Amino acid sequence: FFMAKTYFTLEEANNLLKQIEPKARKLQKLFFDAYELNDVQVSFNPDNTESQLFVLDLNKKRHKLLFEFFELMEELVKLGIVVKDLKKGLFDFYSKYDKSDILLCWQIGEKEIEFFHDERQGFRGRLPVSILKKEYEEKLRELI
């Protein structure tokens, strides 16, 4: 199925941060935990019940963790949030600027959205949102 992009104003995205920050942190933790758990290599002896039970328990934990990860990821995506880079804790929100799509860029730990970039640029192409605010104020003055 296809979901249309959800667009946010800077204010809407910033207001949503209080709700999603704990979820974003948990998603990042689950990502790292799953990564670690996936690196565990265990061989077992099919004739040893203890060994079999250990491997079964490990696989149950792995599947439970991944299920929780994907449930939380789905919840954020359904809100319209772009999960960009879990290692860095980067999340984007689609917005519009001069009739073009831009991405409001937020990183775990930031109190509010401080940067944006266009769709072709990534983290390195981030610009301060103060540019958006200044342009908005200038356009508003033109209308008055």
Side-chain angles (χ1 to χ4, degrees), residues 2-136:
F2 176 77
M3 273 183 55
K5 292 177 189 172
T6 303
Y7 292 90
F8 299 88
T9 64
L10 180 59
E11 185 180 1
E12 289 169 339
N14 274 325
N15 288 338
L16 194 58
L17 290 182
K18 288 180 184 100
Q19 176 189 340
I20 68 148
E21 183 174 16
K23 294 175 183 188
R25 287 184 184 280
K26 185 174 182 178
L27 185 66
Q28 186 181 47
K29 182 185 180 327
L30 289 168
F31 172 77
F32 286 123
D33 290 351
Y35 198 83
E36 255 180 48
L37 200 54
N38 201 40
D39 280 349
V40 175
Q41 299 296 320
V42 179
S43 57
F44 73 98
N45 179 350
D47 298 327
N48 182 323
T49 303
E50 244 181 74
S51 174
Q52 287 180 17
L53 289 173
F54 177 77
V55 171
L56 288 170
D57 187 54
L58 183 65
N59 281 321
K60 283 182 357 187
K61 286 178 182 172
R62 182 180 291 141
H63 287 284
K64 182 180 178 196
L65 192 143
L66 288 172
F67 182 81
E68 192 176 348
F69 171 84
F70 286 114
E71 285 281 297
L72 193 50
M73 174 79 89
E74 180 181 38
E75 186 180 333
L76 293 176
V77 170
K78 281 183 176 178
L79 287 172
I81 298 161
V82 180
V83 179
K84 210 49 166 257
D85 184 333
L86 287 172
K87 283 184 181 177
K88 293 179 182 177
L90 292 175
F91 298 82
D92 287 345
F93 301 78
Y94 273 99
S95 191
K96 290 279 188 187
Y97 179 67
D98 278 345
K99 299 179 184 175
S100 297
D101 284 0
I102 61 167
L103 292 157
L104 302 172
C105 187
W106 174 72
Q107 188 168 20
I108 291 174
E110 294 175 345
K111 295 295 178 203
E112 61 182 24
I113 294 169
E114 299 174 11
F115 300 96
F116 76 98
H117 57 83
D118 70 23
E119 287 185 291
R120 296 176 304 278
Q121 299 288 324
F123 187 79
R124 293 178 189 205
R126 297 188 335 161
L127 298 168
V129 294
S130 58
I131 294 170
L132 300 175
K133 291 176 184 176
K134 183 180 176 188
E135 293 284 328
Y136 175 77

Side-chain angles (χ1 to χ4, degrees), residues 133-144:
K133 291 176 184 176
K134 183 180 176 188
E135 293 284 328
Y136 175 77
E137 288 171 4
E138 287 174 7
K139 287 182 181 184
L140 193 60
R141 278 191 212 107
E142 289 172 11
L143 296 172
I144 297 176

